[in-house]
Amino acid sequence: MERYIIKGGKPLDGEVEISGAKNAALGLLAAAIMTDEEVTIENLPDVSDINQLIDAIANIGATVNRVDRHTVKINGKTINSCVVEYEQMKKIRASYYLLGALLGRFKNAEVALPGGCAIGSRPIDQHIKGFRALGAMVDDENGHGMLIAKADRLVGNHIFLDMASVGATINLMLTASLAEGKTTIENVAKEPHVVDVANLLNSMGANIRGAGTDKIRIYGVEKLHGTTYSVIPDQIEAGTFMCAAAATGGSILVKNVIPIHLECITSKLIEMGCVVTEYDDAVRVKAGDVITSTQLKTLPYPGFPTDMQPQMATVLSVATGYSIVVESIFENRFKYVGELNRMGAKIQVEGSTAFINGVKTLKGATVSAPDLRAGAALVIAGLMAEGFTTVEDIVYIQRGYENFEGKLRGLGADIEKVSDDREEQKFKLRVG
Ligand code: UD1
């Protein structure tokens, strides 16, 4: 089993280049199958979630040409199946975007129900409600674990989402792009990746207005065409490196970002005593002498992202005084706290709130990544801890961070991905 070994205590210093946004790319890849012409997607992150979705797309018959690690050409002309099996869904939950894409294009989709996951139960009732409103017959209770959606015609409608769901907003934009007439979706998610998917669809000939606001209007078109599109930078990867600078007392220039997407993270770090300088497409985070405690609550964009909660709480574990972190999006997102406490943190979780009593320093330990972002948080913990930390179950981290250890090493971190005890010993001898 691969794992990370980290020798902590070094301030990270230097520049890091941020990859394309995983969560945007997942929606973009699904959109790319909605035409029988070729769509080229550039600046893809080379992470396992993306590679799994590309496999799922090839499995339904689309022609996939991986030009290089960061570019793929997809041609949906050769699609010969509208069925996405459970095996695929198990590997990558966002395969459910193929539901919206296939339903929109072929009026027919059969996709395995995703079920819950490490961070919570994650129902998809809002997606289903929207598909039905557009005229699809949706069967999600056939006992076979498949969600079957079919329609003779898809007709635009007015849809009000009960909560600002990223997944439902993207899925319904996909389907409604090829429905007849106008669809209005209200209380939608405003995340940068929602806007990115709308931009790609528009460059394929769709007519979507208002992405990035609370209300999206979609004027259905008959067909979409090929295009070339580049994925936006990853807000969460950028935020993770910003936290790593704060945590280690370092100074990092985080390059290839859209600073406005990072504002809620930037303002928290400033409150915590960091100096953050914004440039056109970069931000520099310089840690303060001490980390000041604070309070935060996760919220839909432009609020503080739930995907940054574990990393920021980890930084706060060594802040002066008490911090409070409230998780309002997912019910099971504090699973890393037990691991952090084993490293000397003093965090108590009550329901959806973590009460953090800042300690002077963390101590190295063997910990296990419970999910993607929590895994990144434990790496940050290892980088600031005294001595050696081993982070196990790094497959979670590899789902969403491209070359995480390489980028950290570029900033001076002592971190190595190892697969056995011999490699671990070698690393320990080398870094002392
Ligand atoms: C996306 C992101 C994920 C991020 C999350 C919140 C992708 C691939 N994943 O996940 O990294 O943590 O947004 O920013 O982009 N909900 C329902 N019914 C629904 C849909 C959602 O009850 O039909 C609930 C969820 O359980 C959750 C909340 O709404 O409590 C937000 O979920 P949603 O925005 O849909 O998250 P995802 O799209 O799954």
Side-chain angles (χ1 to χ4, degrees):
M1 277 298 214
E2 286 188 328
R3 53 200 189 241
Y4 285 141
I5 309 294
I6 304 159
K7 168 109 184 284
K10 258 176 123 176
L12 299 192
D13 199 355
E15 299 181 1
V16 64
E17 193 83 31
I18 296 306
S19 300
K22 169 185 83 82
N23 287 349
L26 292 168
L28 300 177
L29 288 167
I33 68 161
M34 295 188 70
T35 167
D36 57 9
E37 296 178 17
E38 186 170 87
V39 175
T40 304
I41 301 183
E42 300 170 340
N43 197 35
L44 277 177
D46 186 12
V47 295
S48 63
D49 268 13
I50 294 301
N51 299 328
Q52 299 289 3
L53 186 59
I54 291 175
D55 278 355
I57 286 172
N59 272 341
I60 55 171
T63 306
V64 172
N65 172 9
R66 192 68 184 255
V67 181
D68 58 42
R69 280 176 61 205
H70 299 119
T71 310
V72 69
K73 287 181 186 291
I74 292 177
N75 194 321
K77 193 173 180 174
T78 49
I79 289 176
N80 52 26
S81 164
C82 289
V83 182
V84 180
E85 300 287 358
Y86 181 64
E87 274 314 299
Q88 210 67 54
M89 183 60 77
K90 230 172 37 182
K91 290 183 202 147
I92 166 67
R93 197 170 187 280
S95 298
Y96 65 35
Y97 285 145
L98 298 179
L99 191 58
L102 289 168
L103 179 64
R105 178 156 169 220
F106 298 105
K107 318 276 179 283
N108 178 17
E110 231 174 280
V111 176
L113 284 161
C117 81
I119 58 174
S121 59
R122 302 180 85 172
I124 56 163
D125 54 301
Q126 300 302 302
H127 307 228
I128 294 173
K129 171 172 109 171
F131 295 140
R132 287 194 173 127
L134 295 173
M137 306 263 293
V138 182
D139 173 11
D140 59 333
E141 289 177 345
N142 46 54
H144 299 296
M146 296 299 281
L147 192 153
I148 302 169
K150 287 185 196 303
D152 295 329
R153 287 172 69 198
L154 292 167
V155 182
N157 204 342
H158 181 256
I159 302 164
F160 195 101
L161 297 180
D162 295 351
M163 73 284 294
S165 157
V166 171
T169 304
I170 291 180
N171 237 338
L172 296 175
M173 273 194 323
L174 294 169
T175 308
S177 295
L178 289 175
E180 295 168 35
K182 177 180 170 186
T183 298
T184 308
I185 319 175
E186 291 199 61
N187 193 29
V188 290
K190 295 179 279 199
E191 268 70 2
H193 32 297
V194 170
V195 179
D196 213 31
V197 176
N199 286 343
L200 167 66
L201 285 166
N202 283 342
S203 86
M204 293 169 69
N207 188 353
I208 302 175
R209 311 282 173 85
T213 72
D214 292 314
K215 181 168 163 179
I216 296 181
R217 284 159 291 126
I218 303 157
Y219 301 86
V221 295
E222 240 166 60
K223 60 189 292 219
L224 299 172
H225 56 72
T227 191
T228 295
Y229 193 84
S230 183
V231 186
I232 52 165
D234 198 307
Q235 172 206 21
I236 305 301
E237 188 198 10
T240 302
F241 281 99
M242 292 165 77
C243 282
T248 62
S251 172
I252 302 180
L253 182 67
V254 185
K255 291 168 70 176
N256 183 34
V257 298
I258 299 174
I260 199 170
H261 292 167
L262 301 170
E263 265 174 6
C264 51
I265 303 163
T266 299
S267 64
K268 261 308 141 199
L269 288 171
I270 292 171
E271 263 176 62
M272 289 157 65
C274 296
V275 178
V276 184
T277 317
E278 287 185 7
Y279 304 95
D280 284 350
D281 60 356
V283 290
R284 176 179 291 284
V285 178
K286 190 173 179 316
D289 294 336
V290 291
I291 298 167
T292 313
S293 57
T294 190
Q295 305 196 353
L296 71 88
K297 181 176 182 180
T298 62
L299 285 169
Y301 189 83
F304 192 88
T306 173
D307 285 356
M308 280 302 302
Q309 179 263 105
Q311 303 89 313
M312 197 60 96
T314 299
V315 183
L316 290 172
S317 72
V318 294
T320 55
Y322 287 89
S323 299
I324 295 178
V325 172
V326 180
E327 171 58 55
S328 82
I329 310 288
F330 291 112
E331 70 262 31
N332 208 0
R333 229 169 174 176
F334 285 128
K335 282 201 287 190
Y336 64 93
V337 164
E339 302 295 81
L340 269 190
N341 284 347
R342 290 179 46 241
M343 297 177 72
K346 287 209 166 78
I347 306 176
Q348 204 181 332
V349 176
E350 279 172 31
S352 57
T353 306
F355 298 92
I356 305 173
N357 183 358
V359 294
K360 276 220 163 63
T361 170
L362 299 180
K363 308 263 171 22
T366 297
V367 291
S368 169
D371 61 67
L372 164 59
R373 305 301 171 185
L378 292 174
V379 171
I380 292 177
L383 292 168
M384 61 183 177
E386 286 171 6
F388 288 98
T389 294
T390 302
V391 181
E392 297 183 335
D393 291 331
I394 62 169
V395 282
Y396 283 114
I397 301 173
Q398 290 163 343
R399 284 182 37 200
Y401 289 89
E402 177 173 331
N403 187 21
F404 196 33
E405 68 283 7
K407 290 186 184 186
L408 288 168
R409 267 199 303 272
L411 295 164
D414 286 325
I415 179 170
E416 191 81 50
K417 183 165 67 185
V418 301
S419 2
D420 55 37
D421 293 347
R422 197 181 51 84
E423 285 178 14
E424 180 167 338
Q425 280 314 320
K426 231 168 91 184
F427 170 76
K428 286 184 170 169
L429 280 174
R430 181 164 61 75
V431 300

mmCIF file of all heavy atoms in Angstrom, residues 119-146:
data_model
loop_
_atom_site.group_PDB
_atom_site.id
_atom_site.type_symbol
_atom_site.label_atom_id
_atom_site.label_comp_id
_atom_site.label_asym_id
_atom_site.label_seq_id
_atom_site.Cartn_x
_atom_site.Cartn_y
_atom_site.Cartn_z
ATOM 1 N N ILE A 119 -18.179 11.135 3.173
ATOM 2 C CA ILE A 119 -18.474 12.370 3.899
ATOM 3 C C ILE A 119 -19.961 12.555 4.216
ATOM 4 O O ILE A 119 -20.350 13.544 4.805
ATOM 5 C CB ILE A 119 -17.923 13.616 3.173
ATOM 6 C CG1 ILE A 119 -18.481 13.735 1.753
ATOM 7 C CG2 ILE A 119 -16.408 13.621 3.168
ATOM 8 C CD1 ILE A 119 -18.081 15.020 1.049
ATOM 9 N N GLY A 120 -20.801 11.593 3.782
ATOM 10 C CA GLY A 120 -22.209 11.738 4.130
ATOM 11 C C GLY A 120 -23.117 10.929 3.227
ATOM 12 O O GLY A 120 -22.655 10.229 2.333
ATOM 13 N N SER A 121 -24.452 11.054 3.449
ATOM 14 C CA SER A 121 -25.399 10.211 2.706
ATOM 15 C C SER A 121 -25.587 10.712 1.262
ATOM 16 O O SER A 121 -25.839 9.924 0.367
ATOM 17 C CB SER A 121 -26.735 10.172 3.438
ATOM 18 O OG SER A 121 -27.236 11.481 3.571
ATOM 19 N N ARG A 122 -25.480 11.962 1.014
ATOM 20 C CA ARG A 122 -25.489 12.586 -0.303
ATOM 21 C C ARG A 122 -26.609 12.118 -1.251
ATOM 22 O O ARG A 122 -26.352 11.494 -2.284
ATOM 23 C CB ARG A 122 -24.120 12.412 -0.980
ATOM 24 C CG ARG A 122 -23.016 12.997 -0.141
ATOM 25 C CD ARG A 122 -21.666 12.855 -0.767
ATOM 26 N NE ARG A 122 -21.378 13.919 -1.707
ATOM 27 C CZ ARG A 122 -20.181 14.099 -2.271
ATOM 28 N NH1 ARG A 122 -19.201 13.283 -1.991
ATOM 29 N NH2 ARG A 122 -19.978 15.084 -3.111
ATOM 30 N N PRO A 123 -27.866 12.423 -0.907
ATOM 31 C CA PRO A 123 -28.974 12.056 -1.804
ATOM 32 C C PRO A 123 -28.924 12.831 -3.120
ATOM 33 O O PRO A 123 -28.238 13.856 -3.215
ATOM 34 C CB PRO A 123 -30.221 12.462 -0.998
ATOM 35 C CG PRO A 123 -29.751 13.449 0.009
ATOM 36 C CD PRO A 123 -28.307 13.167 0.280
ATOM 37 N N ILE A 124 -29.659 12.335 -4.134
ATOM 38 C CA ILE A 124 -29.700 13.064 -5.419
ATOM 39 C C ILE A 124 -31.148 13.401 -5.802
ATOM 40 O O ILE A 124 -31.489 13.504 -6.970
ATOM 41 C CB ILE A 124 -28.983 12.304 -6.564
ATOM 42 C CG1 ILE A 124 -29.558 10.891 -6.752
ATOM 43 C CG2 ILE A 124 -27.490 12.231 -6.336
ATOM 44 C CD1 ILE A 124 -29.170 10.303 -8.110
ATOM 45 N N ASP A 125 -31.981 13.575 -4.769
ATOM 46 C CA ASP A 125 -33.394 13.862 -5.024
ATOM 47 C C ASP A 125 -33.617 15.140 -5.846
ATOM 48 O O ASP A 125 -34.564 15.224 -6.627
ATOM 49 C CB ASP A 125 -34.154 13.966 -3.685
ATOM 50 C CG ASP A 125 -33.499 14.976 -2.750
ATOM 51 O OD1 ASP A 125 -32.312 14.802 -2.410
ATOM 52 O OD2 ASP A 125 -34.151 15.966 -2.380
ATOM 53 N N GLN A 126 -32.725 16.125 -5.701
ATOM 54 C CA GLN A 126 -32.905 17.379 -6.454
ATOM 55 C C GLN A 126 -32.625 17.189 -7.944
ATOM 56 O O GLN A 126 -33.265 17.815 -8.789
ATOM 57 C CB GLN A 126 -32.003 18.493 -5.896
ATOM 58 C CG GLN A 126 -32.279 18.825 -4.452
ATOM 59 C CD GLN A 126 -33.729 19.246 -4.228
ATOM 60 O OE1 GLN A 126 -34.204 20.203 -4.828
ATOM 61 N NE2 GLN A 126 -34.432 18.523 -3.377
ATOM 62 N N HIS A 127 -31.664 16.314 -8.252
ATOM 63 C CA HIS A 127 -31.391 16.002 -9.661
ATOM 64 C C HIS A 127 -32.670 15.375 -10.263
ATOM 65 O O HIS A 127 -33.128 15.766 -11.333
ATOM 66 C CB HIS A 127 -30.258 14.980 -9.821
ATOM 67 C CG HIS A 127 -28.971 15.316 -9.112
ATOM 68 N ND1 HIS A 127 -27.744 15.233 -9.738
ATOM 69 C CD2 HIS A 127 -28.700 15.716 -7.844
ATOM 70 C CE1 HIS A 127 -26.792 15.551 -8.877
ATOM 71 N NE2 HIS A 127 -27.347 15.843 -7.729
ATOM 72 N N ILE A 128 -33.228 14.398 -9.518
ATOM 73 C CA ILE A 128 -34.384 13.635 -10.024
ATOM 74 C C ILE A 128 -35.596 14.547 -10.188
ATOM 75 O O ILE A 128 -36.292 14.511 -11.209
ATOM 76 C CB ILE A 128 -34.686 12.462 -9.056
ATOM 77 C CG1 ILE A 128 -33.516 11.468 -9.079
ATOM 78 C CG2 ILE A 128 -35.996 11.771 -9.411
ATOM 79 C CD1 ILE A 128 -33.598 10.357 -8.053
ATOM 80 N N LYS A 129 -35.792 15.403 -9.176
ATOM 81 C CA LYS A 129 -36.911 16.350 -9.254
ATOM 82 C C LYS A 129 -36.806 17.202 -10.537
ATOM 83 O O LYS A 129 -37.791 17.407 -11.245
ATOM 84 C CB LYS A 129 -36.861 17.252 -8.010
ATOM 85 C CG LYS A 129 -37.807 18.418 -8.022
ATOM 86 C CD LYS A 129 -37.802 19.121 -6.680
ATOM 87 C CE LYS A 129 -37.137 20.471 -6.754
ATOM 88 N NZ LYS A 129 -37.306 21.260 -5.525
ATOM 89 N N GLY A 130 -35.593 17.636 -10.840
ATOM 90 C CA GLY A 130 -35.376 18.471 -12.025
ATOM 91 C C GLY A 130 -35.603 17.698 -13.321
ATOM 92 O O GLY A 130 -36.248 18.206 -14.250
ATOM 93 N N PHE A 131 -35.093 16.461 -13.386
ATOM 94 C CA PHE A 131 -35.293 15.661 -14.611
ATOM 95 C C PHE A 131 -36.793 15.460 -14.861
ATOM 96 O O PHE A 131 -37.261 15.548 -15.994
ATOM 97 C CB PHE A 131 -34.616 14.288 -14.505
ATOM 98 C CG PHE A 131 -33.105 14.340 -14.419
ATOM 99 C CD1 PHE A 131 -32.406 13.485 -13.569
ATOM 100 C CD2 PHE A 131 -32.371 15.236 -15.190
ATOM 101 C CE1 PHE A 131 -31.023 13.527 -13.485
ATOM 102 C CE2 PHE A 131 -30.987 15.286 -15.112
ATOM 103 C CZ PHE A 131 -30.314 14.436 -14.258
ATOM 104 N N ARG A 132 -37.518 15.185 -13.765
ATOM 105 C CA ARG A 132 -38.970 14.976 -13.914
ATOM 106 C C ARG A 132 -39.641 16.251 -14.416
ATOM 107 O O ARG A 132 -40.507 16.218 -15.277
ATOM 108 C CB ARG A 132 -39.578 14.544 -12.579
ATOM 109 C CG ARG A 132 -39.210 13.095 -12.246
ATOM 110 C CD ARG A 132 -40.064 12.542 -11.106
ATOM 111 N NE ARG A 132 -39.802 11.116 -10.943
ATOM 112 C CZ ARG A 132 -39.466 10.525 -9.796
ATOM 113 N NH1 ARG A 132 -39.384 11.226 -8.692
ATOM 114 N NH2 ARG A 132 -39.238 9.225 -9.759
ATOM 115 N N ALA A 133 -39.208 17.392 -13.865
ATOM 116 C CA ALA A 133 -39.813 18.665 -14.279
ATOM 117 C C ALA A 133 -39.586 18.909 -15.774
ATOM 118 O O ALA A 133 -40.389 19.558 -16.438
ATOM 119 C CB ALA A 133 -39.238 19.811 -13.460
ATOM 120 N N LEU A 134 -38.500 18.357 -16.313
ATOM 121 C CA LEU A 134 -38.204 18.553 -17.747
ATOM 122 C C LEU A 134 -38.936 17.518 -18.612
ATOM 123 O O LEU A 134 -38.780 17.492 -19.826
ATOM 124 C CB LEU A 134 -36.693 18.469 -17.996
ATOM 125 C CG LEU A 134 -35.855 19.576 -17.339
ATOM 126 C CD1 LEU A 134 -34.366 19.300 -17.495
ATOM 127 C CD2 LEU A 134 -36.201 20.943 -17.944
ATOM 128 N N GLY A 135 -39.706 16.641 -17.958
ATOM 129 C CA GLY A 135 -40.535 15.705 -18.725
ATOM 130 C C GLY A 135 -40.024 14.283 -18.752
ATOM 131 O O GLY A 135 -40.581 13.438 -19.454
ATOM 132 N N ALA A 136 -38.981 13.985 -17.995
ATOM 133 C CA ALA A 136 -38.448 12.616 -18.014
ATOM 134 C C ALA A 136 -39.235 11.737 -17.040
ATOM 135 O O ALA A 136 -39.707 12.201 -16.004
ATOM 136 C CB ALA A 136 -36.972 12.634 -17.628
ATOM 137 N N MET A 137 -39.391 10.471 -17.404
ATOM 138 C CA MET A 137 -39.903 9.467 -16.468
ATOM 139 C C MET A 137 -38.677 8.931 -15.747
ATOM 140 O O MET A 137 -37.755 8.427 -16.406
ATOM 141 C CB MET A 137 -40.530 8.291 -17.220
ATOM 142 C CG MET A 137 -41.592 8.674 -18.221
ATOM 143 S SD MET A 137 -43.185 8.491 -17.482
ATOM 144 C CE MET A 137 -43.231 6.718 -17.284
ATOM 145 N N VAL A 138 -38.654 9.050 -14.453
ATOM 146 C CA VAL A 138 -37.466 8.603 -13.716
ATOM 147 C C VAL A 138 -37.862 7.462 -12.787
ATOM 148 O O VAL A 138 -38.775 7.604 -11.979
ATOM 149 C CB VAL A 138 -36.843 9.762 -12.906
ATOM 150 C CG1 VAL A 138 -35.586 9.283 -12.190
ATOM 151 C CG2 VAL A 138 -36.530 10.946 -13.804
ATOM 152 N N ASP A 139 -37.180 6.348 -12.921
ATOM 153 C CA ASP A 139 -37.427 5.193 -12.048
ATOM 154 C C ASP A 139 -36.170 4.953 -11.221
ATOM 155 O O ASP A 139 -35.137 4.535 -11.746
ATOM 156 C CB ASP A 139 -37.753 3.973 -12.929
ATOM 157 C CG ASP A 139 -37.856 2.700 -12.093
ATOM 158 O OD1 ASP A 139 -37.885 2.811 -10.855
ATOM 159 O OD2 ASP A 139 -37.907 1.608 -12.695
ATOM 160 N N ASP A 140 -36.272 5.250 -9.928
ATOM 161 C CA ASP A 140 -35.109 5.024 -9.059
ATOM 162 C C ASP A 140 -35.443 4.003 -7.975
ATOM 163 O O ASP A 140 -34.750 3.880 -6.989
ATOM 164 C CB ASP A 140 -34.630 6.335 -8.429
ATOM 165 C CG ASP A 140 -35.700 7.005 -7.589
ATOM 166 O OD1 ASP A 140 -36.891 6.799 -7.868
ATOM 167 O OD2 ASP A 140 -35.345 7.727 -6.643
ATOM 168 N N GLU A 141 -36.553 3.282 -8.176
ATOM 169 C CA GLU A 141 -36.959 2.310 -7.152
ATOM 170 C C GLU A 141 -37.188 0.939 -7.764
ATOM 171 O O GLU A 141 -38.132 0.233 -7.424
ATOM 172 C CB GLU A 141 -38.237 2.796 -6.463
ATOM 173 C CG GLU A 141 -37.960 3.997 -5.579
ATOM 174 C CD GLU A 141 -39.215 4.557 -4.945
ATOM 175 O OE1 GLU A 141 -40.314 4.199 -5.394
ATOM 176 O OE2 GLU A 141 -39.053 5.363 -4.019
ATOM 177 N N ASN A 142 -36.353 0.575 -8.743
ATOM 178 C CA ASN A 142 -36.557 -0.700 -9.436
ATOM 179 C C ASN A 142 -35.882 -1.855 -8.702
ATOM 180 O O ASN A 142 -35.930 -2.999 -9.150
ATOM 181 C CB ASN A 142 -36.046 -0.598 -10.881
ATOM 182 C CG ASN A 142 -34.672 0.054 -10.922
ATOM 183 O OD1 ASN A 142 -33.763 -0.403 -10.233
ATOM 184 N ND2 ASN A 142 -34.532 1.131 -11.671
ATOM 185 N N GLY A 143 -35.208 -1.542 -7.598
ATOM 186 C CA GLY A 143 -34.592 -2.601 -6.807
ATOM 187 C C GLY A 143 -33.287 -3.105 -7.386
ATOM 188 O O GLY A 143 -32.636 -3.952 -6.804
ATOM 189 N N HIS A 144 -32.885 -2.593 -8.549
ATOM 190 C CA HIS A 144 -31.632 -3.046 -9.163
ATOM 191 C C HIS A 144 -30.507 -2.047 -8.956
ATOM 192 O O HIS A 144 -29.441 -2.186 -9.542
ATOM 193 C CB HIS A 144 -31.823 -3.288 -10.667
ATOM 194 C CG HIS A 144 -32.843 -4.336 -10.964
ATOM 195 N ND1 HIS A 144 -32.689 -5.640 -10.589
ATOM 196 C CD2 HIS A 144 -34.046 -4.257 -11.578
ATOM 197 C CE1 HIS A 144 -33.753 -6.334 -10.971
ATOM 198 N NE2 HIS A 144 -34.600 -5.509 -11.559
ATOM 199 N N GLY A 145 -30.789 -1.019 -8.178
ATOM 200 C CA GLY A 145 -29.765 -0.016 -7.902
ATOM 201 C C GLY A 145 -29.485 0.885 -9.098
ATOM 202 O O GLY A 145 -28.484 1.590 -9.118
ATOM 203 N N MET A 146 -30.362 0.835 -10.098
ATOM 204 C CA MET A 146 -30.144 1.677 -11.283
ATOM 205 C C MET A 146 -31.160 2.823 -11.278
ATOM 206 O O MET A 146 -32.298 2.655 -10.840
ATOM 207 C CB MET A 146 -30.323 0.869 -12.578
ATOM 208 C CG MET A 146 -29.333 -0.243 -12.783
ATOM 209 S SD MET A 146 -27.616 0.317 -12.886
ATOM 210 C CE MET A 146 -27.523 0.916 -14.573
#
